[in-house]
Structures are given as C-alpha cells and as structure tokens.
Amino acid sequence: MAIKNAFYAQSGGVTAVINASAAGLLETARAHSDKIGKVYAGRNGIIGALTEDLIDTSAESTEAIRALRHTPSGAFGSCRYKLKSLEDNRREYERLIEVFKAHDIGYFFYNGGGDSADTCLKVSQLAGTLGYPIQAIHVPKTVDNDLPITDCCPGFGSVAKYIAVSMLEASFDVASMAKTSTKVFILEVMGRHAGWIAAAGGLASNEDHEVPIIILFPEVTFDQEKFLAKTDHYVKEYGYCTVVVSEGVKGTDGKFLSDQGLRDAFGHAQLGGVAPVIANIVKNGLGLKYHWGVADYLQRAARHIASGTDVEQAYAMGKAAVEYAIAGHNSVMPTIERISSSPYAWKTGMVELSKVANVEKMMPADFISEDGFGITGKCREYLSPLIEGEDYPPYKNGLPDYVRLKNVAVTKKLAEFKI
Amino acid sequence: MAIKNAFYAQSGGVTAVINASAAGLLETARAHSDKIGKVYAGRNGIIGALTEDLIDTSAESTEAIRALRHTPSGAFGSCRYKLKSLEDNRREYERLIEVFKAHDIGYFFYNGGGDSADTCLKVSQLAGTLGYPIQAIHVPKTVDNDLPITDCCPGFGSVAKYIAVSMLEASFDVASMAKTSTKVFILEVMGRHAGWIAAAGGLASNEDHEVPIIILFPEVTFDQEKFLAKTDHYVKEYGYCTVVVSEGVKGTDGKFLSDQGLRDAFGHAQLGGVAPVIANIVKNGLGLKYHWGVADYLQRAARHIASGTDVEQAYAMGKAAVEYAIAGHNSVMPTIERISSSPYAWKTGMVELSKVANVEKMMPADFISEDGFGITGKCREYLSPLIEGEDYPPYKNGLPDYVRLKNVAVTKKLAEFKI
C-alpha cells in the first residue's frame, strides 16, 4: 500500500474533548508513518478542504499534540457547513477531489455530529460517484448525545458532568439561602431536541445527597400547573428546589417556551432564554424568590471538569479512526459499545456511516419518570458511568494551560475557490 | 479564664469557601477545649440565635468537620437579616442576651460581609450597651471583595478563578466557531456595585493566551457607541470577541442596563439579565452572531474549581478568629495582609470592627484601563495571586463528595420568640 496523506477536520459545535479525539488521531497517525504520510487539518472544517486552507500538523511538536488531549474547543477551527447533494452542487465535490489530488490525500477523517456524518458519508462515496479513491471515516462528537448506534457520544459525558456538578453545587447554595431569600434556582442547559443534557442534572440527586430537582425535558410538553404544583410541593417539603430546564422546552402551543415575543420599552423585539421565563412563572405563580443561570458555552467548553470516561473515549475514537482506515475501511464510524454498566466496561466498535448520517437518537421514553419531571433508575444507570473520573488539565498561574497550535498553512497549489 | 461556649453563624450570600472558614474555626476551637466549651452554630445565621435554634457542632465527627473545608455553601444555613439599632429594636438585643445566657455563650463568631460586620459590631457592644460580657469576632466572607482594609476577602478568589477559567474556555470555544457561526460571547457575572468579579474575567487574556476580552464594569457608565466600536474592532482583528458584563452596569440614564422594562406578548413585565441586553445590542448594532450565558449561583458555588489561595485564606480566617477570641479580643475581624505580590506572600492581620462595618471597598480607578473596557497591569498584579492553586474536593461516583452535617438541634430552654 502506497503512503497517502490524510485530511482531518472538526465540524459543528465544539466540545471539551473534540481535541482529545484529534490527539488520538494524530498520535496514532504519527505512529503509522509507513501508511499515513502527513495529516493535513482543514482550517474551519470542510471549508478548509474546499478553499485549500490546510494546516500542516507535522509542524506541531509531540508535546503540543499531546496537550490537545486536555484542551477544549476545536484547535483547527470548526464550521457549520453542510455539503449539498452531488446533484445540487457537483462543483464542490469536484473541488474536493482537486484538493485531495493536489495534496495526495487518501484518507478523510471528519470529526462531528449528525450533519457532519452526512458530509463524511458523501465524501466516502466519491470513489463510486466521481472515481476518486478515498477512505472516509467519521469520528463521533456531539454534546447532544444524539448520534445513533454508538452507546454514547464523546463530548456528552463532560457536559453531563459539568451540569451534574453545577446542579449539585447550586443546590447546596440555594439550600443555605432558602430561609430568608432564594428558594428556587433555575439552570438553563443545551438540548434543543433531546433532553440528554437536562437529564444529567438529575444525577445531582442521589443516595448521598437527596436534592429536590425538577427536570424540564424538551420531550415533555410544559404543563405550567403541574410544574407549579411540583415546585410548591418541593419547597414545602425541603425548603427549596432546583430546576434544570432544556432550552428546547415547548408549551402546549408547540412553540419554544423561550419564544415569548419579548419587547423592550420601545417595542423592540428582545431575545431571552427559557430560564428567565421559568423564573417569571415561579414568581407569578408562587411568589417565591428565585435565581436563574444560563450555562450556554460554559457547559461544553468546561474542560477543567471534563469526565475522565469521556476524555478516554474521545481519544479512543480518534485512534480507532486511523486504525480502521489503515485496515482498509471506508464509510464507517468508530462507536462506543457498552459491555456493562456496573462495573462500567466498554469497547470500541464500528458502524456503517449510512446507518448514522441524519439519524437522531432520542431519549428512550423509559428514561423519564412518570410525572415527566425526573429520571428513572434506568436512565441513572445509563448516565452514571459517563461522568465518572476526573481528568484535570495542567495549570499555570492559576489557569488551565491549554495549548494553542501554530497552525502553519500548507502552501496552496490551486486557484482560489469561492464557497 | 472560665470555659465558655461559643456561637458561630454564617450570614449573607454563601460562597465556595465559607465552610472552609467554619472548618478552621471549629477545628481550632476543638483544639482549645480548655478555653472554649461547645460551639453552637446558629441555624440560618443570626436568626438561629434569636429563635434559639442552635446546632450542636460537637455532634459532628472529626471527618465531617474536616470535609467542610471542601464543601461549598453554608453548612448551617445562612440568612439575609440585619439587626436594627439598639434604639429601634431593643427587644432583639435583649433576646440575644437571654439566649447567650441560657447556653453559657461567651464568644460570638459571625461569618459574613459588610452587613454582617454591622450585626457583629452591634453584638460586640452588648457589654457596654446592656452589660452582657461577650467577645464578638467577625470572620470575613464575600464574593464581592468589597470589605475594606483586608487585602482581599475569602470567597472572592474562587469566584475570580471560576470566571477567569470560564472566560478562557468560552473564548477558545467561540474562536473555533467564529468562521461560520458565533462571533461574540457574552457572560454575565455578579457585582452590583463593584467590578471586582468582572475584572477577573480579564485574567483569561495573558501572555500565553491573548484573548480579545471586553469588560463592562459597574464603575463605568455604558457607552453603546464605544462598546460597539470596540467589539467591531476586535472581531475584525481576531475574528471573534468575548464580553464579561457585570450585573450592575448602568446606562447614561443611571438605570441598570438589565432594567429594560421588558414585556411579554401579553404585556406582562418580565425580568431579564444584562447579558441578553448586550447580546441584542451586538445583534442590532453589528449584525453579528452571538451566544450569552449567566453564571449566577454557579460562580459562587463552584467549589470544584476553588482557588487554592482562597481556601487557605478562608480556613486561616476561621482559625484566627478563635485565636483572637482566646487572646481576649472583642469587636475585631481577622484580615489578610499582602506582603508581596510576586512571589505572593501574605499574613493574617487584625482590624477594629468599627472600621469595617458598613464601609464598601470599591475598585481603585487605576485598576481599570483608560478606555474603560479592560484591566491594568496593577489590577492584574493584584488579582493574579488570588486565583493561584487548585484545591480539588474528593469525588465519589463522578461527583464531588460534599458533606452534609447532621445539624443536631440543641434542646431549647426558653420560650418561643417571634422575629
């Protein structure tokens, strides 16, 4: 087998551990220099391939690549850009082949979620559609945990840990304040379609620390009366209550609860989150003091409290991608296969990309408690191992010592291409 | 000196390290059982004293008390309750004396901020005003860092670290997304009067990681045009920009920027934070994609990323309070005295409580950069040592193993008292 270069890029919303996948992939590729030549990273995902904006990862030191394992975000830049079908934009596919040919690229690694899997699938079909031999492997990543087949998705475990830890800490805080001040704390978390992240908030209550937590899932239509009754009940029983609300929660009218048509004093439309909406419902319905927070990017960037399990799996997915490529596979994605929950054991698997692209994994109905406000034992059993273990980054002067790569550009060989 | 019992209580907004002060105080009191008998904790601050709702801390194990050092929030419950003056509410002072007498209490330790220092001062004067001999020592605590004389205040360093780490992580995230998506990230932080916490966001940019950060201080009147120009400049130069905004930022009309008179579609008043207000200004003024977060309680409860310096100082303040009491002091507060910034060195000092109560320490003008959007080298020199060091709590099943005390009530001896 002739030595070919590889292309690697990061796509979609970044996570605390997508760079750990990059580390696994790059370190493994370096260890197989008899099969893989240079790994060129796309600057800003597939856009880097289209515009021939390639980064020469061989210019990075061993230490820098190793440091990617503990650095959040996308070291090479990410993008939100979905390739159209071959019929709709043949020009882009031909350009990809031009770039791949010009830089002798035979391996295509794409690190992303559902949309990115679709892009990777289309690239994997280039041999059949346009006669260019390439092996395309998708490396799974998404905080939303909504990729199918794989037991979980790198990026999710760390968000889950961040939300569980934050809910535990905020619950301790509001419990201290409840006598004369705040009685309800509301935290808004990501998850527009699936409640995986919100569910993780439920882990803050366990046999060691019983915490009255209400979870508002996007899967459950918001019922104001039931919610207020539950909040009232918890505050009466425990003195306080915490709420974790998914950004995707909808009302009976099918609209996002956050979409309240807010106007400022001048009548201008204002965007708010869902947490202040829930806070107002609590204030108006029960007259209780509240506080609210919105975790937003903090939750998915929080490498400082990443899950050890998640970091390990993210690294393993990057490593497996290279191994599968070397073994001759195309159009596949490495997966995480759960062997057992307690004690937790898992192994790396593989799935055809066509079974992954554009398929969304929702929360199973039996993960949500009967009243719609909590998680079941089954859900807890699934989630618990994913937040296990701490994998702290090194610190310097009180701050995590995250790496910034040099990101040296590869000399362009082709004419400019407008996307 | 006869053995006397002590009263200890926590007051005001809780922090990640107020329990570390409790640990320092309780462990030191236990080591001086020849001087101090039992330490009774007030359930929910001074309210516990007024209602004779006392907790027998001697019922807690050595391990439980030690675990307070790594547990956020107020283990005995806090309160927002300020004693009126003796003239205005003599009844409350007489009740305090009744309770102190009934439980043989000769030491009063109050752990709080400016308002609590005032309460402690009033109690310290009981000997003079009502003839009851008591030594009252105030233990400093506040995330706002606004107590005077002490170089810094336990609780602040950990919030500062949390905000600096979060801003660093979110900045890495938005930098990855900026090519095709989010270009501005806005984080709302605490600080209604003083910009200490917002200033800490500036630490995320340093010689290792230059980050385009705009700080919006409550000390600086918000100038929309200047802010938009700065944001535009940063986005053009770096591709992205992050903003840390203090909840207390005011507009030229002197009103809080968060107070936008928001109404929902039905005309009902809605409360929002200042982060979405800034986000809308960015959207309308520059047409840039943004994300925003509100840290709220997460920032002050985040014991998982507490500053090592802060934990050490919080513990030392609790320890010193007992030592000062045993040495015969009354109406004082232990302080942190900075010896040098680099290398950082500090020692425990002492100040008269009358110099602390109701005095607010503002940010020095020369801590804010000339354009009003950044911190100066002097500010950086002051802040940097306060976020130094990591002091991780132990973990169990992926979550911090925080302690919940038994909080056994002391048998009441007096008639009920209504507050």
Side-chain angles (χ1 to χ4, degrees):
Chain A
M1 199 165 85
I3 293 179
K4 288 277 179 186
N5 296 322
F7 173 87
Y8 167 76
Q10 302 173 321
S11 180
V14 295
T15 77
V17 301
I18 182 171
N19 282 336
S21 289
L25 190 141
L26 294 171
E27 290 186 348
T28 310
R30 286 184 177 194
H32 291 90
S33 55
D34 54 327
K35 306 269 170 46
I36 295 179
K38 290 207 173 194
V39 180
Y40 296 127
R43 202 184 302 271
N44 301 308
I46 194 73
I47 290 175
L50 289 167
T51 60
E52 204 195 356
D53 195 354
L54 305 177
I55 292 163
D56 184 358
T57 66
S58 74
E60 308 294 342
S61 68
T62 310
E63 293 69 36
I65 298 300
R66 190 180 305 134
L68 285 178
R69 189 178 167 122
H70 66 245
T71 298
S73 82
F76 308 107
S78 185
C79 73
R80 293 200 182 279
Y81 191 87
K82 198 170 171 174
L83 286 185
K84 295 212 178 68
S85 69
L86 183 61
E87 297 73 46
D88 287 342
N89 204 343
R90 190 182 183 91
R91 181 177 158 268
E92 284 192 337
Y93 290 91
E94 289 173 346
R95 169 66 176 187
L96 283 181
I97 290 177
E98 248 193 309
V99 172
F100 293 163
K101 268 188 189 160
H103 296 278
D104 198 23
I105 289 167
Y107 305 101
F108 178 89
F109 299 107
Y110 212 43
N111 203 168
D115 281 354
S116 315
D118 180 71
T119 293
C120 192
L121 176 65
K122 284 167 180 157
V123 170
S124 76
Q125 294 162 341
L126 283 180
T129 53
L130 294 174
Y132 183 79
I134 189 146
Q135 290 170 247
I137 316 268
H138 191 248
V139 187
K141 169 246 56 165
T142 165
V143 295
D144 294 324
N145 203 37
D146 58 359
L147 284 176
I149 309 195
T150 186
D151 179 67
C152 60
C153 200
F156 171 67
S158 293
V159 178
K161 189 179 183 91
Y162 176 89
I163 296 300
V165 170
S166 297
M167 282 295 288
L168 177 67
E169 293 178 333
S171 298
F172 266 63
D173 191 306
V174 66
S176 312
M177 303 306 296
K179 177 74 181 177
T180 59
S181 181
T182 308
K183 288 185 172 56
V184 181
F185 175 75
I186 300 140
L187 180 63
E188 175 175 335
V189 303
M190 287 180 163
R192 203 153 271 272
H193 305 296
W196 291 107
I197 297 177
L203 294 176
S205 182
N206 56 35
E207 53 197 18
D208 288 329
H209 300 294
E210 205 192 341
V211 176
I213 295 175
I214 295 176
I215 306 172
L216 299 177
F217 296 97
E219 287 87 351
V220 181
T221 302
F222 182 70
D223 180 329
Q224 180 162 323
E225 216 168 299
K226 259 180 76 184
F227 166 69
L228 286 173
K230 182 90 179 179
T231 306
D232 187 50
H233 165 73
Y234 272 162
V235 171
K236 279 182 178 141
E237 189 171 335
Y238 294 86
Y240 74 101
C241 152
T242 49
V243 180
V244 54
V245 54
S246 177
E247 57 177 342
V249 169
K250 290 176 182 163
T252 42
D253 57 1
K255 286 204 303 187
F256 286 124
L257 220 60
S258 56
D259 182 13
Q260 294 283 295
L262 285 190
R263 307 260 151 197
D264 69 11
F266 306 100
H268 301 138
Q270 302 284 305
L271 283 171
V274 65
V277 172
I278 299 295
N280 271 288
I281 288 170
V282 167
K283 185 188 74 172
N284 296 331
L286 300 171
L288 296 174
K289 269 199 156 184
Y290 61 82
H291 260 251
W292 57 269
V294 178
D296 199 67
Y297 277 1
L298 303 196
Q299 70 199 287
R300 73 181 202 191
R303 182 60 184 84
H304 74 272
I305 189 62
S307 146
T309 301
D310 193 31
V311 174
E312 202 187 312
Q313 292 178 338
Y315 186 92
M317 293 300 101
K319 182 168 179 279
V322 172
E323 289 166 350
Y324 293 165
I326 289 173
H329 293 286
N330 179 34
S331 206
V332 296
M333 179 182 91
T335 58
I336 294 152
E337 288 183 13
R338 185 179 297 224
I339 298 163
S340 87
S341 290
S342 181
Y344 183 54
W346 62 278
K347 62 175 181 170
T348 301
M350 183 168 67
V351 63
E352 296 282 326
L353 208 41
S354 57
K355 292 187 183 150
V356 174
N358 302 309
V359 182
E360 221 173 356
K361 179 174 72 180
M362 305 308 288
M363 286 246 297
D366 63 358
F367 275 28
I368 299 176
S369 65
E370 236 172 274
D371 71 358
F373 293 125
I375 54 174
T376 60
K378 206 168 164 185
C379 182
R380 186 176 294 279
E381 187 187 323
Y382 169 77
L383 291 174
S384 294
L386 307 184
I387 69 164
E388 278 276 357
E390 295 67 54
D391 188 310
Y392 299 120
Y395 277 69
K396 189 178 162 188
N397 301 325
L399 286 172
D401 193 9
Y402 296 142
V403 71
R404 266 197 188 149
L405 301 182
K406 290 183 282 183
N407 283 353
V408 177
V410 176
T411 308
K412 297 194 183 194
K413 301 181 176 179
L414 302 171
E416 204 185 333
F417 181 85
K418 294 269 182 214
I419 58 168
Chain B
M1 196 168 86
I3 293 179
K4 287 276 181 188
N5 295 323
F7 173 86
Y8 167 75
Q10 302 172 320
S11 179
V14 295
T15 78
V17 301
I18 184 171
N19 283 335
S21 289
L25 190 142
L26 294 170
E27 289 186 347
T28 310
R30 286 184 177 194
H32 291 90
S33 54
D34 55 327
K35 306 271 170 46
I36 295 178
K38 290 206 171 195
V39 180
Y40 297 127
R43 199 184 304 271
N44 302 308
I46 195 73
I47 290 174
L50 289 167
T51 59
E52 203 195 358
D53 194 354
L54 304 177
I55 291 162
D56 184 357
T57 67
S58 73
E60 307 294 342
S61 69
T62 309
E63 292 70 33
I65 298 299
R66 190 180 306 136
L68 285 178
R69 189 177 168 124
H70 66 245
T71 299
S73 83
F76 307 109
S78 185
C79 71
R80 295 202 180 276
Y81 191 88
K82 197 170 172 174
L83 286 183
K84 294 213 179 69
S85 69
L86 184 60
E87 298 73 45
D88 288 341
N89 204 343
R90 191 181 183 93
R91 179 177 159 270
E92 285 192 334
Y93 290 92
E94 288 173 346
R95 168 66 175 189
L96 285 180
I97 291 177
E98 246 193 311
V99 172
F100 294 163
K101 267 189 188 159
H103 297 277
D104 198 23
I105 289 167
Y107 304 101
F108 178 89
F109 298 108
Y110 212 43
N111 203 166
D115 280 355
S116 314
D118 180 73
T119 293
C120 192
L121 176 64
K122 283 166 179 157
V123 170
S124 78
Q125 294 162 340
L126 283 179
T129 53
L130 294 174
Y132 182 79
I134 190 145
Q135 289 169 249
I137 317 268
H138 190 248
V139 187
K141 170 245 56 164
T142 165
V143 294
D144 294 323
N145 203 36
D146 60 356
L147 284 175
I149 306 187
T150 186
D151 179 66
C152 61
C153 201
F156 171 66
S158 293
V159 177
K161 189 179 185 91
Y162 176 90
I163 296 299
V165 170
S166 297
M167 283 295 287
L168 178 66
E169 293 178 332
S171 298
F172 266 61
D173 192 305
V174 67
S176 313
M177 303 306 295
K179 178 73 180 177
T180 58
S181 179
T182 308
K183 288 187 172 53
V184 181
F185 175 76
I186 301 140
L187 180 64
E188 175 175 335
V189 303
M190 288 180 162
R192 203 151 270 272
H193 306 297
W196 290 107
I197 296 177
L203 294 176
S205 182
N206 58 36
E207 52 196 20
D208 288 329
H209 301 294
E210 206 191 341
V211 177
I213 295 175
I214 295 176
I215 306 172
L216 299 176
F217 295 99
E219 287 88 350
V220 181
T221 302
F222 181 71
D223 181 328
Q224 182 163 322
E225 219 168 299
K226 260 180 74 184
F227 165 70
L228 286 174
K230 182 90 180 179
T231 306
D232 187 47
H233 166 73
Y234 273 162
V235 171
K236 279 182 178 141
E237 191 171 334
Y238 295 86
Y240 74 101
C241 150
T242 49
V243 181
V244 54
V245 54
S246 176
E247 57 178 341
V249 169
K250 289 175 182 163
T252 43
D253 58 1
K255 285 203 305 188
F256 286 122
L257 220 59
S258 57
D259 182 13
Q260 295 282 298
L262 284 190
R263 309 257 152 201
D264 68 12
F266 307 99
H268 301 138
Q270 301 284 307
L271 282 171
V274 67
V277 173
I278 299 295
N280 270 288
I281 288 170
V282 167
K283 184 187 72 171
N284 296 330
L286 300 171
L288 296 173
K289 269 198 153 182
Y290 60 82
H291 260 252
W292 57 269
V294 177
D296 200 66
Y297 277 1
L298 304 196
Q299 71 200 285
R300 75 180 201 194
R303 181 62 184 82
H304 74 271
I305 189 60
S307 147
T309 302
D310 193 31
V311 173
E312 201 187 312
Q313 292 178 338
Y315 186 91
M317 294 299 100
K319 180 169 180 277
V322 171
E323 290 166 350
Y324 292 164
I326 289 172
H329 294 286
N330 179 32
S331 206
V332 296
M333 178 183 92
T335 59
I336 295 152
E337 289 182 13
R338 185 179 299 224
I339 297 163
S340 87
S341 289
S342 180
Y344 183 54
W346 63 278
K347 61 176 182 167
T348 301
M350 183 168 67
V351 62
E352 297 280 327
L353 209 41
S354 59
K355 291 184 182 151
V356 174
N358 303 309
V359 182
E360 221 172 354
K361 177 173 74 177
M362 304 309 286
M363 285 247 297
D366 63 358
F367 274 28
I368 300 176
S369 65
E370 238 174 88
D371 71 358
F373 293 125
I375 54 173
T376 60
K378 208 168 163 183
C379 182
R380 186 176 292 278
E381 188 187 323
Y382 169 77
L383 290 175
S384 294
L386 307 185
I387 69 163
E388 280 274 358
E390 294 67 56
D391 188 311
Y392 299 120
Y395 277 70
K396 190 178 161 188
N397 301 326
L399 286 172
D401 194 11
Y402 296 142
V403 70
R404 268 198 186 147
L405 302 180
K406 289 182 283 184
N407 283 353
V408 177
V410 176
T411 307
K412 296 194 183 196
K413 298 180 176 179
L414 302 170
E416 204 185 331
F417 180 84
K418 293 268 181 216
I419 56 167

